[in-house]
Amino acid sequence: MTDPILEVRNLSTHFFTDDGEVKAVRGVSFSVAPGETLGIVGESGCGKSVTAMSVLGLVQRPGKVVSGEIMFRGHDLLKLTREELRNIRGRDIAMIFQDPLSSLNPVLRVGYQIDEAMYAHDKIASNAVERRGIDLLKQVRVSDAERRIKDFPHQFSGGMRQRAMIAMGLSNKPDLLIADEPTTALDVTVQAQILELLRDLNEQTGAAIILITHNLGVVAGLCKRVLVMYAGEIVEEGTVEQIFESPQHPYTWSLLRSVPRIDANRGHRLLSIEGLPPDLIDLPQGCKFNPRCPFRVERCFTESPPIEQVAPAQHAACWVTMERAYAEMGAGTITDTSPGAASGVHPAGRSLPPAEVPAAIAEPVSD
Amino acid sequence: MATVTTPILEEYAGGTIARAQVGLWRDGFRRLRRNRLALAALIYLTVLVLVAIIAIFWTPYNPATILPNTLTFLGPSAGHPLGTDDLGRDLLSRMMQGAQISLIVGVGTSAIVLTVGVVVGLIAGYFRGWIDNVISVFINIFYGIPGILVAIILYLILGHGLGNIMIAISATAWMDMARLVRGQAFSIREREYIEAARASGARSGKILFGHILPNSLGPIIVQATFVIPIAILTEAFLSYLGLGIPSPLASWGSIASEGYAALPLEPYMMLWPAVALSLTLLAFNFLGDGLRDAFDPRQRR
Amino acid sequence: MPTRGTLIYIAQRLLLIVFTLLAVSFLVFITVHSLPGSAFESERVHGKALQLVLHQYGLDRPILVQYWSFLTSAIQGNLGVSFQIRGLPITPLVMRELSVSAELGGTALLITIGIGTTFGVLAAMRQNTWVDYTLTSIAVVGYSVPSFVLAGLGELIFAYWLPTVTNGAIQYPANWTGTYGTLVELSLPAIILGFYTSGQVTRITRAAMLEVLQQDYIRTARAKGLKTRVVTVRHALRNALIPVISILGPLVISIITGSVIIENIFGIPGLGKEFVESILGADYNVTVAVFTVYALLIGIANLIVDLLYTVVDPRIRY
């Protein structure tokens, strides 16, 4: 296996708000190989976007990376000067964002915004910039690129704006492209086109892609490997087949069971995950999923499970794992998914899911 | 509410909004208490109000009396802490009376503006149609006219008097309030709960004063607070020009005017009204800013 | 290149200005003519003589007839004659005073926008630091401290304490006829006038910058690896200017209001001083003329502002 292009070790990012310290990302570690497609999945507020922003040093006050290392080509991005980091942003690591309307500057022409990314770094010869801007728009399949490049963002459709964003991201031929919910704001048909575009670009340019999404279908369509995040931590990691076919963390399992699937057999009931993610200011003891987990055991309330190998290339952070839940708790047939329903564990004073809604600080940066 | 059926968490929103409604006023007061500048302003203004109230019953000397055997332009001294003016009147007494006048004009104008602006704005915003058109056209035409010009002309027509000064200043100031309330009424009218109230047979009056008004109270209070310094400043300027409070009543503006004339002889006389006016206007502006940040997060600037 | 829609919009706005001028001049005309007293009443002129003078100036006609004749000649550029300085044509007088006021107000506007946007951007970039607190405090002081207080202070410093700095040239010379004051004569009033309004610009620029800096496209710009200065100026400031432009209209009104005050304090022979003098002297024609000119100025300023929007924000088309 080749050396990873990006290796994140033990990353923690917190937001210091008036209401308290929001521990948005805690001890996250993962790596990306050159040319790899990695998906990061989780609910809004699970810290997936904050993780990506931390990599590029884009976390704004009151947020701050409090610990960890982000190794990119052997350098820790957290130790670089602002100018050194600026040189990597958009040049070696590019990022595209969720809402292509708000992510493009409304008062500047689309072409200008694409060219500007190239002028900012000296990777593309400046006399080739304008030609490349048009070529890029063609590459992301914007028709009539020569004319449209002079348009303003509001003259583009949603899908075209996202294409322009992607063109901008690709303009400096980055080694890594981070796509934060690139399809969420788009129609379903356009979503498919954008995913196809990303897949083609990955194959053609060899750029590694980190795809951040809450939509499991999107991950299945593009990624080879998947990270599942919950409440600021990685709870499971594996190949896309492993995650979809034999998830080992109850959260991943619940997530998959809650998505309607066209290929599911008719007897297969949709199950919900009861309760809400924990308040990131005041986290529960032990496993962070214990207030919502049907398979929890006593140990889940006291000790945080470490992420451990559960199969070749698959890791999960769970004291029970689904293998045991299937074998001992009848996970294959349960219909009641309330906390502790399958395991029968209801510790005194903890039997009910938190009643109050967590404060609206769950996702202070994006989503 | 406690059941999340999909991994997408948009369901959050419902709960958060419900909570925001309940806690709006409490949160607002909490934010206001944390705003030190606004608190300091509030303390200063409380003292000023007390001074004005005391001045009703007692001032060291009669502010209008030219004191016998007293030097003019006396600097601060034992008998006259702020000195005496060009005619030998006690400046502390005159400043206390000035505080009274400034506060009356400020608060009085704000009350007129509040009443007229809210009523007109609600009518325009709620009934729409030709009523709104007439009101809007009127406001649009006169909106751009500098209030001070109108105030000068009107005050001369109405004649001297505290009440007339307030009316003259309100003549243009109500339009801002009316525009604000109209806009609020327009947007709130569209909300579901108004729809629900109307569907359940509530009368216009009840909807206007029972729903629309309470829900736009935050911005209205903020706007009314900002009218006060404008009114005080306009009064001071009118008096400064000799078009305001008639002599021998003392206004900070007229004291400043007399002080300005005496500047080469005695800077003190200009100093007191200058400081008092500046502090008072600052205090009202800080208070208004604090109120806006606390109760009107949408138009926070 | 103005589009057809833009031209139609301009035509509509011009029509609105004309309508506003008619309404304003009519109301002011009616109002000032109902003011007690007249420029001709005095101990020496009364009874028969007064009747004669009033007849000479057409003041004995019904008020609507008077307005009509004012209107018809005003359209031809003749704003009538002064009562106070008997028979002096108002149009050249007002034009000269307008140039004085425009010089003062224009300088103040430049100072306002220059200081206001600079302070606003700096304060936003350093939000919640001492830089921010200092600049926003200056802004609040700017629009809280009455201009006559600042004028008094300025006069005290430059005319009495440091007369050598200005050579005593604080007050405009009495015979000044508007062939432009020296920079020194103009600077103190203009700075004081501009200081008041720059506070408003500082606040709005700061707020707009803070809002814009939160926008997704700023994050995009930073993610592209642009330099902070480029992100601030090209991406943030251009967007932040849109709300700033929206207060240019009210700003012109503020400056006119302020100039009425400043001109009267410093004795600058502009429209503001003339306005107060004409009111006090019951010189109705002059009052109406000055008021109408102000309304015209504001109408034009608002039109320019609306057109400026289309320059700064490509989303706005009329």
Side-chain angles (χ1 to χ4, degrees):
Chain A
M1 200 176 148
T2 50
D3 281 345
I5 181 168
L6 178 76
E7 189 170 2
V8 174
R9 292 183 202 138
N10 202 25
L11 175 75
S12 294
T13 303
H14 296 183
F15 288 81
F16 300 86
T17 69
D18 289 349
D19 298 308
E21 191 176 338
V22 181
K23 303 167 196 82
V25 173
R26 297 183 314 283
V28 163
S29 303
F30 66 92
S31 64
V32 186
E36 191 186 19
T37 46
L38 173 74
I40 303 181
V41 191
E43 295 162 287
S44 303
C46 72
K48 54 195 194 303
S49 290
V50 176
T51 303
M53 306 279 275
S54 304
V55 169
L56 276 184
L58 291 176
V59 175
Q60 293 265 50
R61 279 189 308 175
K64 193 172 183 298
V65 175
V66 288
S67 70
E69 288 176 341
I70 299 169
M71 304 303 292
F72 178 74
R73 288 210 205 118
H75 296 285
D76 186 353
L77 296 185
L78 296 175
K79 293 207 173 73
L80 295 185
T81 65
R82 272 170 53 173
E83 183 63 15
E84 285 167 335
L85 187 61
R86 182 190 72 72
N87 260 316
I88 287 177
R89 286 205 288 253
R91 182 179 196 268
D92 304 308
I93 307 178
M95 188 159 177
I96 59 178
F97 298 96
Q98 174 173 355
D99 185 348
L101 176 57
S102 61
S103 295
L104 287 171
N105 194 325
V107 303
L108 299 173
R109 292 176 198 280
V110 172
Y112 177 85
Q113 296 189 54
I114 295 175
D115 295 351
E116 181 186 46
M118 292 184 269
Y119 286 125
H121 308 284
D122 296 326
K123 209 167 174 178
I124 309 295
S126 55
N127 55 10
V129 163
E130 281 181 35
R131 186 66 245 163
R132 180 166 165 78
I134 296 171
D135 288 345
L136 280 165
L137 268 197
K138 284 181 179 159
Q139 199 183 349
V140 296
R141 295 162 210 162
V142 170
S143 55
D144 202 6
E146 283 89 353
R147 198 171 56 79
R148 300 310 295 255
I149 200 147
K150 295 195 186 77
D151 278 358
F152 287 99
H154 70 274
Q155 293 162 304
F156 271 36
S157 69
M160 276 167 65
R161 286 187 208 119
Q162 193 56 282
R163 287 162 201 272
M165 279 291 292
I166 294 172
M168 201 182 292
L170 293 174
S171 59
N172 285 308
K173 303 178 184 163
D175 299 324
L176 174 63
L177 182 69
I178 302 176
D180 187 359
E181 305 268 9
T183 59
T184 305
L186 305 174
D187 290 343
V188 179
T189 48
V190 184
Q191 281 189 15
Q193 293 166 9
I194 295 290
L195 282 181
E196 197 188 310
L197 177 66
L198 285 174
R199 198 182 308 125
D200 291 353
L201 291 170
N202 171 247
E203 282 163 12
Q204 287 162 19
T205 65
I209 293 179
I210 298 179
L211 178 76
I212 294 165
T213 181
H214 63 258
N215 187 333
L216 290 163
V218 170
V219 170
L222 180 69
C223 301
K224 300 266 189 315
R225 209 154 56 85
V226 182
L227 300 177
V228 180
M229 286 189 73
Y230 182 76
E233 295 170 346
I234 294 177
V235 294
E236 186 158 11
E237 177 188 351
T239 65
V240 74
E241 292 80 13
Q242 287 168 330
I243 295 294
F244 277 83
E245 301 308 324
S246 66
Q248 287 304 307
H249 197 284
Y251 176 65
T252 317
W253 180 85
S254 311
L255 210 55
L256 286 160
R257 296 285 297 252
S258 66
V259 180
R261 286 179 65 165
I262 204 144
D263 57 346
N265 67 50
R266 284 182 170 267
H268 197 95
R269 279 198 53 174
L270 270 184
L271 299 178
S272 59
I273 311 175
E274 292 201 9
L276 292 166
D279 184 343
L280 292 172
I281 292 174
D282 187 20
L283 286 157
Q285 277 235 308
C287 173
K288 306 308 172 238
F289 190 56
N290 77 50
R292 301 170 78 185
C293 183
F295 311 110
R296 62 193 182 187
V297 294
E298 286 295 345
R299 194 178 187 184
C300 303
F301 291 96
T302 51
E303 287 176 70
S304 223
I307 187 148
E308 284 174 342
Q309 188 158 13
V310 290
Q314 187 176 9
H315 299 74
C318 181
W319 294 123
V320 180
T321 71
M322 289 313 295
E323 196 175 352
R324 190 174 143 204
Y326 271 101
E328 296 172 18
M329 299 177 190
T333 54
I334 65 161
T335 51
D336 180 5
T337 53
S338 62
S343 59
V345 174
H346 298 287
R350 293 206 195 89
S351 55
L352 294 170
E356 86 272 28
V357 179
I361 33 78
E363 184 80 319
V365 166
S366 67
D367 282 20
Chain B
M1 174 65 243
T3 307
V4 177
T5 48
T6 72
I8 307 162
L9 246 166
E10 266 63 74
E11 280 84 341
Y12 253 175
T16 324
I17 287 167
R19 208 180 70 130
Q21 285 286 355
V22 178
L24 189 69
W25 291 100
R26 210 187 46 215
D27 283 358
F29 280 113
R30 203 187 62 187
R31 279 196 292 271
L32 190 62
R33 269 206 305 276
R34 272 201 306 226
N35 185 334
R36 288 204 204 115
L37 274 177
L39 274 189
L42 208 55
I43 293 169
Y44 168 82
L45 292 173
T46 311
V47 172
L48 192 68
V49 168
L50 286 178
V51 168
I53 292 174
I54 292 171
I56 301 173
F57 308 103
W58 177 83
T59 48
Y61 299 88
N62 183 337
T65 309
I66 298 167
L67 301 168
N69 307 323
T70 304
L71 290 170
T72 57
F73 295 128
L74 189 68
S77 56
H80 304 280
L82 301 185
T84 58
D85 73 359
D86 52 340
L87 299 176
R89 294 174 293 194
D90 178 53
L91 271 176
L92 178 60
S93 308
R94 290 182 70 71
M95 286 298 295
M96 286 173 75
Q97 189 175 49
Q100 225 174 28
I101 293 199
S102 283
L103 286 176
I104 291 172
V105 168
V107 175
T109 308
S110 181
I112 299 175
V113 165
L114 193 67
T115 314
V116 177
V118 166
V119 169
V120 174
L122 277 182
I123 290 173
Y126 187 78
F127 292 105
R128 304 186 176 189
W130 66 269
I131 300 181
D132 176 44
N133 285 339
V134 170
I135 294 172
S136 296
V137 166
F138 184 84
I139 290 181
N140 273 335
I141 287 177
F142 291 96
Y143 191 62
I145 303 304
I148 195 145
L149 304 182
V150 177
I152 290 174
I153 293 181
L154 271 185
Y155 188 58
L156 286 176
I157 292 175
L158 296 169
H160 287 305
L162 262 185
N164 289 344
I165 273 207
M166 293 186 237
I167 295 172
I169 299 171
S170 308
T172 51
W174 67 272
M175 294 187 207
D176 271 316
M177 180 68 84
R179 272 163 72 110
L180 171 82
V181 176
R182 174 178 173 272
Q184 290 278 329
F186 258 89
S187 68
I188 293 174
R189 230 185 98 105
E190 299 303 320
R191 307 243 176 98
E192 284 84 358
Y193 56 84
I194 302 292
E195 204 67 32
R198 201 178 295 125
S200 57
R203 292 149 65 105
S204 302
K206 173 135 177 51
I207 293 176
L208 275 175
F209 292 98
H211 293 277
I212 293 183
L213 194 55
N215 277 293
S216 37
L217 218 49
I220 290 175
I221 292 173
V222 171
Q223 177 74 20
T225 310
F226 281 121
V227 170
I228 299 176
I230 292 172
I232 292 178
L233 184 60
T234 312
E235 181 278 319
F237 179 65
L238 288 177
S239 295
Y240 186 90
L241 285 182
L243 292 167
I245 302 298
S247 190
L249 270 181
S251 148
W252 287 347
S254 59
I255 300 173
S257 172
E258 291 151 12
Y260 186 75
L263 210 51
L265 297 169
E266 186 49 82
Y268 282 113
M269 199 177 154
M270 174 91 192
L271 184 68
W272 310 129
V275 169
L277 265 173
S278 304
L279 281 181
T280 306
L281 295 172
L282 263 176
F284 275 113
N285 279 324
F286 278 136
L287 182 65
D289 284 347
L291 286 174
R292 170 151 59 200
D293 290 347
F295 293 107
D296 189 15
R298 275 159 303 172
Q299 63 168 45
R300 199 179 288 183
R301 284 186 173 166
Chain C
M1 189 63 209
T3 62
R4 206 179 118 86
T6 313
L7 292 176
I8 292 174
Y9 180 78
I10 294 175
Q12 281 173 344
R13 289 297 303 264
L14 287 174
L15 210 66
L16 185 71
I17 292 176
V18 170
F19 189 65
T20 305
L21 286 181
L22 281 177
V24 167
S25 64
F26 178 72
L27 273 173
V28 175
F29 195 91
I30 302 284
T31 310
V32 293
H33 279 81
S34 67
L35 275 172
S38 99
F40 303 109
E41 272 173 53
S42 68
E43 286 97 43
R44 283 183 290 124
V45 186
H46 52 83
K48 259 277 173 24
L50 182 62
Q51 289 302 319
L52 203 69
V53 178
L54 288 181
H55 181 74
Q56 192 188 338
Y57 284 86
L59 293 173
D60 55 348
R61 294 174 296 167
I63 187 88
L64 287 179
V65 176
Q66 289 186 44
Y67 177 70
W68 181 250
S69 77
F70 159 78
L71 195 63
T72 45
S73 56
I75 288 167
Q76 297 158 38
N78 177 8
L79 290 166
V81 292
S82 165
F83 304 149
Q84 227 172 11
I85 309 166
R86 300 261 171 103
L88 180 75
I90 293 174
T91 307
L93 177 78
V94 166
M95 290 311 286
R96 197 183 70 209
E97 286 162 350
L98 175 63
S99 74
V100 174
S101 290
E103 189 189 341
L104 175 70
T107 314
L109 191 63
L110 290 180
I111 291 173
T112 291
I113 294 172
I115 293 180
T117 49
T118 311
F119 278 21
V121 170
L122 289 177
M125 299 299 292
R126 298 273 177 274
Q127 192 195 2
N128 296 334
T129 63
W130 65 268
V131 177
D132 183 20
Y133 298 137
T134 310
L135 295 178
T136 44
S137 299
I138 292 175
V140 186
V141 169
Y143 60 76
S144 293
V145 176
S147 45
F148 57 78
V149 168
L150 288 180
L153 193 68
E155 190 142 325
L156 192 64
I157 293 173
F158 291 110
Y160 303 117
W161 293 349
L162 302 168
T164 46
V165 176
T166 57
N167 246 339
I170 288 294
Q171 295 277 352
Y172 279 60
N175 57 351
W176 198 59
T177 51
T179 50
Y180 300 105
T182 64
L183 196 64
V184 177
E185 285 168 349
L186 193 73
S187 55
L188 187 64
I191 287 171
I192 291 172
L193 183 52
F195 185 56
Y196 170 68
T197 40
S198 68
Q200 300 170 3
V201 179
T202 301
R203 279 166 64 90
I204 200 129
T205 309
R206 175 179 178 275
M209 276 300 278
L210 286 179
E211 169 109 29
V212 167
L213 287 172
Q214 296 296 315
Q215 297 296 314
D216 290 349
Y217 53 79
I218 296 301
R219 189 179 57 184
T220 309
R222 294 175 64 218
K224 276 196 267 190
L226 301 181
K227 292 196 168 72
T228 309
R229 191 175 46 83
V230 178
V231 175
T232 310
V233 175
R234 205 171 297 155
H235 285 264
L237 188 57
R238 271 213 58 186
N239 281 285
L241 279 181
I242 297 168
V244 174
I245 286 174
S246 74
I247 66 151
L248 276 183
L251 207 62
V252 169
I253 298 169
S254 278
I255 286 188
I256 288 178
T257 305
S259 73
V260 174
I261 300 170
I262 290 287
E263 286 177 13
N264 278 287
I265 294 171
F266 285 96
I268 300 168
L271 287 175
K273 183 158 178 278
E274 186 65 74
F275 180 79
V276 173
E277 281 173 0
S278 71
I279 277 276
L280 291 175
D283 202 346
Y284 310 139
N285 282 355
V286 177
T287 308
V288 174
V290 172
F291 211 113
T292 313
V293 169
Y294 275 143
L296 179 65
L297 276 181
I298 290 163
I300 292 172
N302 281 327
L303 177 59
I304 293 174
V305 166
D306 279 358
L307 295 178
L308 265 183
Y309 272 129
T310 65
V311 176
V312 176
D313 190 345
R315 288 164 296 183
I316 297 176
R317 286 285 172 267
Y318 299 113

